Amino acid sequence: MNTAQHARPTAAERIGRTLGLLEKQLPLTRRVLRAGDRIYGAGEALDCLHVIHLGCVKTVNLAADGREQVVGLHFKGDWLGFDGIAGGRQRCDAIAMDVTEVWSIRYAALLEACATDRSVVAMLHDAMSREISRDRESMLSLCTLPADARVADFLRGWAETLAERGLRSDQITIHMTRAEIGNYLGMKLETVSRALSRLAREKLISFNATGRRDLQIHDVAALGEFIQRCLGVEAGASAATVH
């Protein structure tokens, strides 16, 4: 057995194969959007699923009190629209956060391709499984991490996502305001600002002169160590309270 032939593909290889398969097997509509452009809106009929070819996208729900809630961040190779399949309508707004290219595939055409091509079925199942896993990890972060660790985990995840796609991850632009980060992480803006300041004081990140959304991550692994330290402190505080 040739081990190299059976090695798991990297994220970049997997994304490349997915995009190549879609381009070869299915009719596509390509759209280039600017920051703030809407790909689709909540309540629209689910005619298409979408794959990000370039850029980044946020998905937003409207809360009962009218506030927008950022519920997902999506990058190259990610699919958009899975949550609308069951009801036949989009469940949220999908909005470009930067210059973004999206490939749209008619859902009916995708089902037809699944009926005749097992590779398309496998690709779709893989994409759905990854989305479920991401949602679970995001929920665990929100439920189990203290505030500073939550922000560190957010930055680590963004950097690792870029690195997996072969992009620079030590110097990144966060295409979100601090208020939006807080909205996504379930935190107040002031708490996000304090967490970022602490990470900067500990020299885990630094801000570029060009703007507060441009920052350097000096060591992604060190962010992971910081998260573990925060969890250790929290566990120690909880134990002291019990005793």
Side-chain angles (χ1 to χ4, degrees):
M1 180 184 295
N2 187 331
T3 304
Q5 290 179 347
H6 295 274
R8 293 178 64 85
T10 65
E13 290 170 341
R14 173 179 52 77
I15 291 168
R17 291 176 187 176
T18 294
L19 295 173
L21 180 63
L22 289 173
E23 195 168 27
K24 180 180 178 181
Q25 298 294 94
L26 289 154
L28 302 170
T29 300
R30 294 173 171 83
R31 283 190 290 165
V32 176
L33 306 103
R34 297 183 179 181
D37 288 348
R38 183 173 275 98
I39 299 163
Y40 57 77
E44 293 180 6
L46 183 111
D47 296 323
C48 296
L49 293 178
H50 313 270
V51 179
I52 302 171
H53 183 250
L54 174 72
C56 51
V57 173
K58 64 181 177 181
T59 44
V60 179
N61 276 351
L62 196 64
D65 60 2
R67 290 180 297 112
E68 288 189 345
Q69 175 67 50
V70 181
V71 295
L73 302 174
H74 312 271
F75 298 84
K76 180 177 180 177
D78 289 344
W79 288 70
L80 302 167
F82 283 152
D83 57 342
I85 291 176
R89 293 193 175 275
Q90 302 290 1
R91 300 292 301 276
C92 57
D93 296 343
I95 302 169
M97 300 169 67
D98 191 13
V99 175
T100 299
E101 181 182 340
V102 172
W103 292 2
S104 300
I105 306 105
R106 291 190 64 80
Y107 185 52
L110 187 60
L111 290 179
E112 289 177 7
C114 286
T116 58
D117 191 333
R118 293 181 62 182
S119 63
V120 176
V121 177
M123 171 196 66
L124 204 57
H125 285 175
D126 180 78
M128 288 180 171
S129 176
R130 290 179 186 281
E131 180 162 315
I132 291 169
S133 296
R134 279 198 304 269
D135 288 347
R136 181 181 61 206
E137 289 168 4
S138 178
M139 182 62 68
L140 284 172
S141 174
L142 289 175
C143 294
T144 62
L145 294 182
D148 288 355
R150 212 179 300 172
V151 173
D153 189 53
F154 167 77
L155 294 177
R156 179 180 66 171
W158 194 298
E160 288 178 346
T161 296
L162 294 179
E164 288 174 351
R165 286 150 177 79
L167 301 173
R168 185 172 181 178
S169 60
D170 62 329
Q171 185 166 327
I172 64 177
T173 299
I174 303 296
H175 299 284
M176 303 172 74
T177 65
R178 294 187 179 189
E180 286 178 316
I181 294 172
N183 178 284
Y184 178 60
L185 297 178
M187 300 162 57
K188 294 181 179 179
L189 181 152
E190 295 81 4
T191 307
V192 173
S193 294
R194 285 196 296 270
L196 289 171
S197 295
R198 180 182 174 188
L199 292 172
R201 285 197 306 273
E202 299 206 13
K203 302 191 183 305
L204 295 170
I205 65 171
S206 58
F207 297 99
N208 294 346
T210 53
R212 301 294 283 178
R213 299 190 194 186
D214 299 317
L215 56 87
Q216 291 181 327
I217 297 178
H218 305 297
D219 185 351
V220 174
L223 283 176
E225 294 168 3
F226 173 82
I227 294 166
Q228 292 304 313
R229 290 203 306 275
C230 289
L231 288 172
V233 169
E234 180 119 323
S238 298
T241 301
V242 171
H243 294 289

